[in-house]
Each structure stands twice: as structure tokens, then as C-alpha cells.
Amino acid sequence: ANYAAARVGARTILLNTDLAAGVPKVLEKLHEQYLLPPLHAGWATRRKSNHFKSYEEVAKKFAKLLGMDPWLINPMYAACGEVDFTDGTGLDNVRAQADALLTKIRRKHKEYGISDKPFVVIKADNGSGLGIKAISDAKELDDPALHQRCQRHAALHGPGVAELIVQEGVPTNERVNDALAEPVVYMIDRYVVGGFYRV
């Protein structure tokens, strides 16, 4: 099934889905029960760019209190708008955003003496199924293999239009079996309840 629901108490349904495929019809007309998370918090409506914008505001205030550069705790990003993978419409904007972001990152690396090669990650603004590519040069977006991959994605998942963002790649020293690893922590309220590595 696309979702799993468990009844908690008399009036609350706890969802085990990110709602990336939209809201299941069976949940659309529930008025007497609470849904956690709420339907408007699913990936069908939520955008990473909105989250990053809100986090950026918090990071700037926090960094100002400590007298530090907010970039140290807040990776750069840029929203690119819609791209049509079937004909490539909108890729020029992605290329321009990636190039501009890489230039900014190079300046920061020089300022802080960071020797790692700057890179950005192109990904869907909503959902989690379309991580397109990590690049260190905007010209890599001209790769025919990338266009073929995007067209295959469009053929498998319906219309080839997606909203994209470009996000600064952050170098990591964490490894699992010699592969790069990103820790993910699950929290409920302020309590850590689990986690895993993306490898």
C-alpha cells in the first residue's frame, strides 16, 4: 500500500507516509479525526525551498548572536523553477543558478582555506525521489546521459515537469565501508528516537 495508518487514541490517525504521491482519496474527507502529520505537510504541497528559506532566517539570527558567519551552519541554495525533462525547457535557468552558486561557494572556500572542490546537488524541490546529479561545473548539465536519465524518469513517472533546486554540497569525512555517509536523525518533540546513514 502507498500508506499505512494506525489509529492512536480515539481521534488521531498517525500516518507513515510522506504523501509524495498526493493525498490518498480515503483520507481526503476525514473531518472528525486529526491526522499527524497534517495533509498539508506532505511532499505533494511542501517545498524544500520554503524550508531552506525559513532555516536561513533562523541561522542568520543565531549566527548574529554568536558573531559568526551564518554560512558555517547554513548551506547555500537556489530555487530554479520548473524544468521539462522531455524537451529540456528550463535547464538554462538551472545551469545559470548552478554556475552562480558554485562561484559563491568558491569564494567561501577561499575565505576559509577549504581545499575540497566545491559542488552542488541538483534535486527536486518537492518529494524525495528525484535526486538528479551532483556537479562541480555547470557544463556537466549538458551531459547527454543526464538528459536521457531525465527523459526515462519522465517516461516512468508521467509528465516530465519538475520543480528543481540547486543546493550547496557539503563535504563530509563520515564513511561507511569507504563510502560517503550522511547521518539522518529522527526526532519526536525534542527526543531522538532513531536514525540511519544515507550512504
Side-chain angles (χ1 to χ4, degrees):
N2 285 342
Y3 69 94
R7 189 154 182 170
V8 178
R11 300 175 52 89
T12 302
I13 293 176
L14 183 63
L15 301 178
N16 182 23
T17 175
D18 62 7
L19 301 171
V23 176
K25 289 194 183 298
V26 71
L27 299 179
E28 286 178 353
K29 296 181 181 180
L30 286 180
H31 300 294
E32 297 176 9
Q33 293 179 320
Y34 296 105
L35 297 175
L36 295 175
L39 298 179
H40 68 271
W43 277 123
T45 54
R46 200 169 58 169
R47 297 291 178 268
K48 291 180 182 100
S49 55
N50 291 339
H51 168 80
F52 295 151
K53 183 178 179 183
S54 297
Y55 180 74
E56 183 175 35
E57 292 172 18
V58 172
K60 283 180 178 177
K61 289 177 183 175
F62 183 73
K64 186 175 181 180
L65 285 172
L66 297 180
M68 63 184 268
D69 183 348
W71 176 76
L72 295 171
I73 58 171
N74 182 37
M76 292 184 252
Y77 75 97
C80 301
E82 289 188 349
V83 174
D84 187 332
F85 295 130
T86 55
D87 65 8
T89 304
L91 272 176
D92 286 343
N93 186 40
V94 177
R95 195 176 293 105
Q97 296 285 1
D99 196 41
L101 201 56
L102 283 163
T103 299
K104 291 177 186 175
I105 298 166
R106 282 186 201 101
R107 279 193 220 120
K108 284 294 186 182
H109 279 211
K110 186 175 181 181
E111 179 183 345
Y112 286 98
I114 297 170
S115 60
D116 293 306
K117 188 173 185 177
F119 68 99
V120 295
V121 179
I122 316 290
K123 54 181 153 179
D125 196 0
N126 66 319
S128 55
L130 185 59
I132 295 178
K133 189 164 178 89
I135 61 170
S136 54
D137 189 319
K139 291 176 187 168
E140 293 176 54
L141 289 171
D142 297 328
D143 180 4
L146 173 62
H147 293 265
Q148 289 170 355
R149 194 166 119 210
C150 291
Q151 287 171 352
R152 280 194 305 273
H153 184 276
L156 288 171
H157 302 286
V161 177
E163 295 174 55
L164 299 182
I165 60 169
V166 179
Q167 185 180 17
E168 176 182 0
V170 179
T172 179
N173 289 324
E174 292 214 48
R175 301 279 191 277
V176 172
N177 298 329
D178 295 326
L180 291 175
E182 173 189 42
V184 178
V185 177
Y186 283 122
M187 299 180 74
I188 295 177
D189 193 9
R190 64 189 180 275
Y191 302 103
V192 175
V193 297
F196 61 92
Y197 277 104
R198 285 194 181 103
V199 181

Short mmCIF file of all heavy atoms in Angstrom, two decimals, residues 172 174-176 179-185 195-199:
data_model
loop_
_atom_site.label_atom_id
_atom_site.label_comp_id
_atom_site.label_asym_id
_atom_site.label_seq_id
_atom_site.Cartn_x
_atom_site.Cartn_y
_atom_site.Cartn_z
N THR A 172 32.05 15.79 3.55
CA THR A 172 31.95 15.07 4.80
C THR A 172 33.12 14.12 4.94
O THR A 172 33.65 13.62 3.95
CB THR A 172 30.62 14.28 4.89
OG1 THR A 172 30.60 13.57 6.12
CG2 THR A 172 30.48 13.28 3.75
N GLU A 174 32.63 11.57 7.15
CA GLU A 174 32.00 10.35 7.63
C GLU A 174 31.95 9.32 6.52
O GLU A 174 31.62 9.62 5.39
CB GLU A 174 30.58 10.64 8.14
CG GLU A 174 30.61 11.49 9.40
CD GLU A 174 29.48 11.14 10.33
OE1 GLU A 174 29.26 9.95 10.60
OE2 GLU A 174 28.83 12.07 10.79
N ARG A 175 32.27 8.07 6.87
CA ARG A 175 32.30 6.99 5.89
C ARG A 175 31.67 5.73 6.48
O ARG A 175 31.73 5.50 7.69
CB ARG A 175 33.74 6.63 5.49
CG ARG A 175 34.57 7.74 4.88
CD ARG A 175 34.24 7.91 3.42
NE ARG A 175 35.17 8.77 2.71
CZ ARG A 175 35.12 10.08 2.69
NH1 ARG A 175 34.20 10.72 3.37
NH2 ARG A 175 35.97 10.79 1.97
N VAL A 176 31.07 4.93 5.61
CA VAL A 176 30.63 3.59 5.95
C VAL A 176 31.19 2.69 4.86
O VAL A 176 30.85 2.85 3.68
CB VAL A 176 29.09 3.47 6.02
CG1 VAL A 176 28.67 2.02 6.19
CG2 VAL A 176 28.54 4.33 7.15
N ALA A 179 32.51 4.43 1.76
CA ALA A 179 31.57 5.26 1.00
C ALA A 179 31.18 6.47 1.84
O ALA A 179 31.14 6.41 3.07
CB ALA A 179 30.32 4.45 0.65
N LEU A 180 30.92 7.62 1.18
CA LEU A 180 30.47 8.81 1.90
C LEU A 180 29.18 8.50 2.62
O LEU A 180 28.30 7.81 2.10
CB LEU A 180 30.24 9.96 0.92
CG LEU A 180 31.48 10.55 0.27
CD1 LEU A 180 31.09 11.60 -0.76
CD2 LEU A 180 32.40 11.16 1.31
N ALA A 181 29.03 9.02 3.83
CA ALA A 181 27.84 8.74 4.64
C ALA A 181 27.29 10.02 5.23
O ALA A 181 28.04 10.89 5.67
CB ALA A 181 28.20 7.76 5.76
N GLU A 182 25.97 10.12 5.21
CA GLU A 182 25.28 11.28 5.78
C GLU A 182 24.38 10.78 6.90
O GLU A 182 23.48 9.97 6.67
CB GLU A 182 24.43 11.94 4.69
CG GLU A 182 23.55 13.05 5.21
CD GLU A 182 22.57 13.54 4.14
OE1 GLU A 182 21.99 12.70 3.41
OE2 GLU A 182 22.37 14.76 4.05
N PRO A 183 24.61 11.26 8.14
CA PRO A 183 23.75 10.81 9.24
C PRO A 183 22.37 11.46 9.16
O PRO A 183 22.24 12.63 8.83
CB PRO A 183 24.51 11.26 10.48
CG PRO A 183 25.36 12.39 10.03
CD PRO A 183 25.68 12.14 8.59
N VAL A 184 21.34 10.68 9.44
CA VAL A 184 19.97 11.16 9.50
C VAL A 184 19.43 10.78 10.87
O VAL A 184 19.56 9.64 11.30
CB VAL A 184 19.10 10.52 8.39
CG1 VAL A 184 17.66 11.01 8.49
CG2 VAL A 184 19.67 10.81 7.02
N VAL A 185 18.83 11.75 11.57
CA VAL A 185 18.33 11.51 12.91
C VAL A 185 16.83 11.77 12.92
O VAL A 185 16.37 12.79 12.42
CB VAL A 185 19.03 12.44 13.94
CG1 VAL A 185 18.46 12.25 15.32
CG2 VAL A 185 20.53 12.18 13.94
N GLY A 195 17.55 6.65 13.84
CA GLY A 195 18.35 7.29 12.80
C GLY A 195 19.00 6.25 11.92
O GLY A 195 18.86 5.04 12.14
N PHE A 196 19.67 6.72 10.88
CA PHE A 196 20.34 5.85 9.93
C PHE A 196 21.35 6.68 9.15
O PHE A 196 21.44 7.90 9.33
CB PHE A 196 19.34 5.18 8.98
CG PHE A 196 18.55 6.15 8.14
CD1 PHE A 196 18.99 6.53 6.87
CD2 PHE A 196 17.36 6.67 8.60
CE1 PHE A 196 18.27 7.42 6.10
CE2 PHE A 196 16.61 7.57 7.84
CZ PHE A 196 17.07 7.93 6.58
N TYR A 197 22.13 6.03 8.32
CA TYR A 197 23.05 6.72 7.42
C TYR A 197 22.55 6.62 5.99
O TYR A 197 22.15 5.54 5.55
CB TYR A 197 24.45 6.08 7.48
CG TYR A 197 25.31 6.56 8.60
CD1 TYR A 197 25.52 5.78 9.73
CD2 TYR A 197 25.94 7.79 8.53
CE1 TYR A 197 26.32 6.20 10.76
CE2 TYR A 197 26.75 8.23 9.56
CZ TYR A 197 26.93 7.45 10.67
OH TYR A 197 27.73 7.88 11.69
N ARG A 198 22.59 7.72 5.24
CA ARG A 198 22.47 7.66 3.79
C ARG A 198 23.88 7.46 3.27
O ARG A 198 24.76 8.25 3.57
CB ARG A 198 21.92 8.96 3.23
CG ARG A 198 20.45 9.16 3.46
CD ARG A 198 19.93 10.30 2.58
NE ARG A 198 18.52 10.51 2.81
CZ ARG A 198 18.03 11.50 3.55
NH1 ARG A 198 18.84 12.38 4.08
NH2 ARG A 198 16.74 11.63 3.72
N VAL A 199 24.12 6.42 2.50
CA VAL A 199 25.47 6.09 2.06
C VAL A 199 25.58 6.21 0.55
O VAL A 199 24.70 5.76 -0.17
CB VAL A 199 25.86 4.65 2.49
CG1 VAL A 199 27.27 4.32 2.05
CG2 VAL A 199 25.72 4.51 3.99
#
